[in-house]
Amino acid sequence: MYAEVLIEYKVKSLDRSFTYLVPEHLKDVVKVGMKVTVPFGQGDSLINGFVTKIKYDSNLGNLKSIVSITDRELILNDELMELGHFLRDSTLCTLISAYQTMLPSSLKIKTINSNYQKYDTYIKLSVPSEFVKTYIAEIRGKKQIELLETLMKEEKILKNKCSVSAVKSLLDKGIIEEEKVQTYRISKSLEKEEKSVVLTEDQSNALCKIKDSFNNSEVFLLHGVTGSGKTEIYMHLIQEVVSSGKSAIMLVPEITLSMQIVDNFYKRFGSDVAILHSALSQGEKHDEYLKILRGDVHIVVGTRSAIFAPVKNLGIIIIDEEHSESYKQDNTPRYNAIDIAKWRIEYHNIPLVLGSATPTFESYARALKGVYTLLSLPKRVNDAKLPSIKVVDMAMEAKKRNMILSEYLKEKIIDRLDRKEQVILFLNRRGYGTLVSCMACGYAFKCPNCDITLTFHKSSNALRCHYCGYYLKKPEVCPECKSQEIRESGIGTEKLESELSKFFPSARLIRMDADTTSKKGSHDRIIKDFKNEKYDILFGTQMISKGLDFPKVSLVGIISADTTLNIPDFRSGERSFALFSQVAGRAGRSGLESEVIIQTFNPDNFTIKMLEMGSFLKNYQYEMSIRKKLKYPPYYYLVGVKICSSIYEDASIEATKVSKFLKEKLDRESIVLGPTTAGIFKIKNIYRFQIVIKYRYDDKLKNALKDIDEQYINHKTVYLELDMNPYYI
Ligand code: ADP
Ligand code: ZN
Ligand code: ZN
């Protein structure tokens, strides 16, 4: 018996299977999808790999044998083995990295560490109870007697709950014994909350349509305004799927941002839920993965990589906030979880539900064309009204020296504080000042490793780079002209904080950004405290925008719309609309009269106008007309090719070569743009040039990309990053 083994070398030229002999003692054990250890290369050094095929004959001589199996339980099933090929072909990664991407990190590493499994030790009787009774009569130790009496009633008890000395004496005498039982680190033995929600008519209609397709690989786009009850529909769907004996995967953007959702799932489904996300410890991830692998749970809630969960008998996939960029991985393999979901629903013949208040234009276009089935929830539940939107022109405010908080916003904040309602303020920059420069000569402090200015953090009195972590104590004098006139400008969340405490000294403020949530659990605590009304004003970055449901919030302020609007990217109109709608959606969810205030220097900007009108559709139509003219998605597909090097000249020269090569090889209808310098040209001392390919149909594309990819595999100073359908260009 022979096995083909795909070895764990991330070298593209070695990305193929090698044949090994299966030794006698492993013949009944080795299976396709299992991880094994094999000798490889000249020194026969040991390396892990996946069994990709079992064969009964081979014409190769002199074969080496499989040494051992790394984990008997861990097997990539047939579906995932096949999915690996799709992942490789669609992102142009190696097959081995495709398989590794599907596994939690505890199972990716070279030697699987058995410490990942956690055990509880129990004690139980090792002799018949009659014997114990006679024994009890003879001993004096009170604790020992108590322990034995309990053990005659209960089969076993946790060792660490018992008296140490009593356990020791009884163990020594051989009357009790230990038993180790594997436990899961996250174990929810929660009482389920029996809550019966009567769905609204819109909700029931959507639910029925999806239920009718439980045996079809149909994609639904659930377009529902914030607070329209999408989550409730997901729960009903999952309930149905689980009661028919099948399983469900639900993806959420960033789980730390969505702990509220996870809590609701635990409440509804108890211990039938596994969660998978990056903030879990390695051990927790390992346990959650095993629960799924063993079929101990039927519901998986997780972030992007949970799309690979080895769920048995899958019945539905749900992707919440489908427009979120977190579904696209930004390192190799650059896959999009939505593409993986589509592949899996075809495999199982089950539906995929994409939900959002602001779907991506790609998705919406597909829905309008009938490729996806569009389901709309235009109203909030319980007759709650969407907030009214007010745009404030900051150019006028600047004349009155109101740089951060406009008169109007201040008035409204006071009003909410008086009424004991809550306020959320959104500002997409952390730190204090976002630009630090010398007033005398104009010198601006930049990161020496990245092509970006440093941000001033007042709390640590330092200038920091948000890309590479570089930092510098705030200098007293300008390095160029020795002037002491060093000032910071631009606003970050720290500065907003000092401004708020100046104007509203008695208000209770809480800041939420990467700086205040770095400790595990701090994020949840802020959310719980705000929900319990320990604070009046919650302010922070992106983090505050998603999935949160606070009934008392009736005012939302967007401090500076321009930082988001001015990002030079063809999707910035789409994204700003989505982000601001999301933030705005935190207001008035329980029916309070609510308002959203948008501060901007561009009140006439089209996206701002559309937000004011609350028209997703008009914004879509306008942006689509531009996309069509400029040949952007969804009219054209994009490929981003980055040419990277720590040596500027090398990157530049090779970028020109790559562009020339692509222009020669690709279909004449395809467009090759660049090289230009990529978004942020230098990050962590790596220079990055970018070429963008726009195409509709191109048979030659994949081969041309593979060709250039191979040309640079062994290049000394330059490497390529290929991105099919990039989110940013
Ligand atoms: P979305 O996910 O669309 O933003 P949610 O599902 O979070 O909306 O619903 C918003 C609020 O309305 C939640 O507090 C939820 O519990 C409540 N809700 C949802 N559906 C119903 C319903 N049919 N009846 C009463 N309350 C509902
Ligand atoms: Zn200077
Ligand atoms: Zn840097």
Side-chain angles (χ1 to χ4, degrees):
M1 187 168 149
Y2 307 88
E4 289 191 4
V5 177
L6 179 71
I7 51 161
E8 271 186 358
Y9 261 128
K10 279 196 186 162
V11 180
K12 288 208 172 169
S13 52
L14 283 178
D15 192 37
R16 61 183 189 85
S17 295
F18 294 86
T19 306
Y20 286 87
L21 269 170
V22 179
E24 202 53 44
H25 69 283
L26 290 179
K27 274 192 176 148
D28 294 332
V29 193
V30 169
K31 297 201 174 61
V32 169
M34 211 171 233
K35 225 172 174 188
V36 293
T37 307
V38 293
F40 189 80
Q42 283 169 350
D44 274 353
S45 52
L46 294 181
I47 183 164
N48 286 342
F50 285 93
V51 176
T52 53
K53 201 171 173 183
I54 302 279
K55 305 190 291 192
Y56 292 93
D57 52 74
S58 163
N59 45 19
L60 300 169
N62 219 356
L63 289 174
K64 294 169 192 167
S65 286
I66 290 178
V67 175
S68 62
I69 292 173
T70 35
D71 191 328
R72 285 179 188 227
E73 221 178 336
L74 167 73
I75 299 179
L76 282 176
N77 63 26
D78 292 350
E79 182 197 357
L80 295 182
M81 289 301 281
E82 219 179 286
L83 177 56
H85 289 258
F86 170 74
L87 185 55
R88 175 194 61 189
D89 296 342
S90 57
T91 65
L92 303 176
C93 68
T94 59
L95 191 55
I96 190 68
S97 68
Y99 289 140
Q100 291 192 309
T101 301
M102 298 179 181
L103 297 172
S105 44
S106 60
L107 299 173
K108 262 174 224 166
I109 50 169
K110 286 239 163 63
T111 45
I112 292 176
N113 185 344
S114 54
N115 290 340
Y116 275 119
Q117 317 237 351
K118 194 179 160 219
Y119 294 91
D120 276 343
T121 309
Y122 288 85
I123 49 169
K124 58 179 190 185
L125 296 177
S126 59
V127 293
S129 346
E130 298 82 54
F131 183 80
V132 176
K133 276 181 207 145
T134 50
Y135 183 76
I136 286 178
E138 286 165 24
I139 49 173
R140 288 215 208 104
K142 215 173 135 204
K143 282 187 183 154
Q144 292 183 45
I145 296 174
E146 272 172 25
L147 186 56
L148 288 174
E149 278 169 348
T150 328
L151 279 173
M152 284 195 292
K153 279 179 251 149
E154 291 170 34
E155 194 202 337
K156 57 186 173 195
I157 37 184
L158 265 175
K159 186 180 170 190
N160 60 16
K161 293 241 168 87
C162 310
S163 140
V164 179
S165 59
V167 168
K168 189 171 179 306
S169 341
L170 292 173
L171 276 174
D172 287 346
K173 290 172 191 135
I175 294 176
I176 60 169
E177 62 189 9
E178 290 184 348
E179 185 187 57
K180 291 199 168 187
V181 179
Q182 196 195 343
T183 59
Y184 296 131
R185 288 168 181 81
I186 301 177
S187 73
K188 296 277 167 180
S189 51
L190 277 174
E191 290 291 301
K192 284 195 220 170
E193 243 175 46
E194 290 303 333
K195 193 171 136 190
S196 64
V197 179
V198 183
L199 294 186
T200 64
E201 202 181 323
D202 285 341
Q203 283 175 320
S204 330
N205 284 340
L207 183 71
C208 282
K209 292 238 174 66
I210 301 170
K211 269 165 59 181
D212 285 344
S213 260
F214 267 175
N215 295 312
N216 293 329
S217 55
E218 189 168 345
V219 182
F220 292 91
L221 181 64
L222 182 61
H223 181 209
V225 297
T226 53
S228 57
K230 297 184 289 294
T231 315
E232 202 52 57
I233 297 181
Y234 304 151
M235 295 213 187
H236 274 74
L237 286 168
I238 291 173
Q239 184 72 63
E240 298 267 345
V241 164
V242 172
S243 18
S244 72
K246 293 189 168 187
S247 300
I249 296 179
M250 169 153 144
L251 296 191
V252 290
E254 274 297 333
I255 213 127
T256 49
L257 312 179
S258 320
M259 279 321 276
Q260 272 194 335
I261 291 191
V262 175
D263 277 349
N264 290 340
F265 268 73
Y266 280 138
K267 278 186 199 144
R268 191 74 61 99
F269 301 107
S271 56
D272 206 10
V273 182
I275 53 174
L276 287 175
H277 63 91
S278 56
L280 296 181
S281 71
Q282 293 254 342
E284 287 170 336
K285 272 186 219 167
H286 185 90
D287 285 359
E288 295 299 289
Y289 195 82
L290 280 184
K291 283 184 200 169
I292 301 165
L293 197 65
R294 292 170 178 167
D296 288 352
V297 293
H298 294 93
I299 303 164
V300 178
V301 180
T303 44
R304 179 179 61 237
S305 62
I307 197 61
F308 297 112
V311 168
K312 293 186 182 125
N313 206 1
L314 193 57
I316 195 168
I317 302 180
I318 295 168
I319 301 188
D320 188 29
E321 312 288 7
E322 69 96 30
H323 62 279
S324 165
E325 60 195 62
S326 75
Y327 293 131
K328 168 89 188 197
Q329 175 148 302
D330 64 2
N331 50 41
T332 314
R334 295 185 163 74
Y335 69 90
N336 189 323
I338 295 179
D339 297 329
I340 306 294
K342 285 185 193 165
W343 188 94
R344 292 194 78 176
I345 64 153
E346 290 288 336
Y347 188 94
H348 291 276
N349 260 316
I350 54 167
L352 165 64
V353 179
L354 304 173
S356 176
T358 50
T360 63
F361 292 171
E362 277 99 329
S363 293
Y364 202 69
R366 287 191 186 114
L368 293 184
K369 268 172 73 180
V371 182
Y372 296 169
T373 307
L374 184 62
L375 303 170
S376 297
L377 303 171
K379 292 192 298 277
R380 284 186 160 180
V381 287
N382 295 334
D383 291 328
K385 277 211 265 332
L386 281 164
S388 62
I389 298 200
K390 163 88 178 169
V391 176
V392 175
D393 183 355
M394 287 308 279
M396 305 298 287
E397 295 293 320
K399 286 184 194 149
K400 294 182 255 168
R401 305 215 141 257
N402 292 327
M403 309 310 283
I404 301 176
L405 301 170
S406 59
E407 288 303 330
Y408 189 79
L409 180 56
K410 278 188 277 196
E411 249 172 53
K412 293 292 165 173
I413 292 178
I414 292 171
D415 174 62
R416 291 326 191 259
L417 293 174
D418 285 348
R419 283 201 257 161
K420 304 269 179 270
E421 291 171 6
Q422 290 177 301
V423 179
I424 288 183
L425 300 175
F426 170 74
L427 176 61
N428 218 358
R429 287 278 177 82
R430 63 195 168 93
Y432 193 83
T434 48
L435 176 71
V436 186
S437 54
C438 166
M439 293 289 118
C441 75
Y443 177 85
F445 287 86
K446 281 180 91 174
C447 175
N449 311 319
C450 309
D451 179 30
I452 185 169
T453 55
L454 297 171
T455 298
F456 174 51
H457 286 247
K458 198 170 191 173
S459 52
S460 51
N461 195 35
L463 311 188
R464 288 178 186 277
C465 170
H466 287 180
Y467 277 83
C468 71
Y470 171 88
Y471 89 97
L472 177 75
K473 266 242 140 341
K474 190 184 176 196
E476 302 289 329
V477 297
C478 169
E480 289 283 311
C481 73
K482 308 291 176 238
S483 153
Q484 292 184 0
E485 296 281 299
I486 295 175
R487 293 282 150 75
E488 64 281 334
S489 52
I491 30 173
T493 45
E494 271 186 19
K495 189 155 176 178
L496 176 59
E497 181 160 24
S498 59
E499 192 82 354
L500 287 170
S501 38
K502 194 167 92 195
F503 284 106
F504 313 105
S506 60
R508 297 162 303 163
L509 309 172
I510 181 77
R511 169 157 65 100
M512 188 152 90
D513 58 24
D515 298 326
T516 61
T517 53
S518 53
K519 272 205 217 97
K520 200 176 174 174
S522 51
H523 186 280
D524 285 351
R525 210 191 47 244
I526 295 177
I527 289 173
K528 282 206 180 93
D529 288 350
F530 190 62
K531 187 156 195 161
N532 294 332
E533 297 176 55
K534 286 193 186 161
Y535 298 101
D536 306 305
I537 305 179
L538 168 69
F539 63 100
T541 54
Q542 289 255 22
M543 281 183 193
I544 62 168
S545 65
K546 290 183 191 147
L548 303 172
D549 200 12
F550 303 114
K552 293 289 265 186
V553 172
S554 63
L555 175 67
V556 163
I558 293 168
I559 301 299
S560 164
D562 307 317
T563 46
T564 311
L565 286 172
N566 293 342
I567 295 170
D569 185 285
F570 75 98
R571 283 198 180 92
S572 103
E574 173 184 337
R575 265 193 217 115
S576 308
F577 189 94
L579 179 60
F580 298 154
S581 308
Q582 196 89 45
V583 180
R586 299 315 105 210
R589 293 173 73 88
S590 64
L592 289 174
E593 257 322 280
S594 64
E595 182 165 12
V596 173
I597 298 168
I598 303 177
Q599 303 192 139
T600 174
F601 282 93
N602 303 290
D604 295 326
N605 173 288
F606 190 83
T607 309
I608 297 287
K609 289 270 175 232
M610 292 304 104
L611 277 163
E612 220 172 348
M613 286 174 57
S615 180
F616 173 82
L617 187 64
K618 287 223 173 78
N619 189 50
Y620 167 81
Q621 286 162 341
Y622 170 77
E623 294 281 339
M624 286 289 277
S625 67
I626 300 177
R627 303 258 182 115
K628 190 168 185 181
K629 260 184 241 147
L630 299 182
K631 302 188 166 149
Y632 277 122
Y635 296 98
Y636 275 69
Y637 293 107
L638 295 182
V639 182
V641 181
K642 287 212 175 73
I643 299 94
C644 313
S645 175
S646 57
I647 304 166
Y648 174 87
E649 289 76 16
D650 290 11
S652 161
I653 291 166
E654 297 307 320
T656 312
K657 279 195 212 159
V658 170
S659 167
K660 191 159 164 273
F661 177 87
L662 287 171
K663 280 177 186 150
E664 279 163 15
K665 293 282 174 179
L666 295 186
D667 194 286
R668 284 228 309 274
E669 298 286 308
S670 299
I671 301 161
V672 178
L673 298 173
T676 55
T677 54
I680 295 170
F681 178 41
K682 188 172 85 164
I683 295 181
K684 299 182 187 172
N685 284 319
I686 301 287
Y687 296 92
R688 302 154 352 125
F689 284 87
Q690 173 164 271
I691 292 164
V692 173
I693 304 167
K694 294 179 181 176
Y695 71 100
R696 284 161 73 88
Y697 313 97
D698 194 335
D699 299 343
K700 301 170 188 163
L701 179 75
K702 283 266 162 77
N703 280 333
L705 290 174
K706 272 188 199 154
D707 262 10
I708 50 159
D709 198 25
E710 268 161 29
Q711 287 172 32
Y712 286 90
I713 286 172
N714 293 319
H715 198 284
K716 283 205 184 69
T717 57
V718 174
Y719 63 91
L720 300 189
E721 284 177 9
L722 298 179
D723 194 349
M724 311 295 289
N725 307 314
Y727 253 51
Y728 290 97
I729 58 168

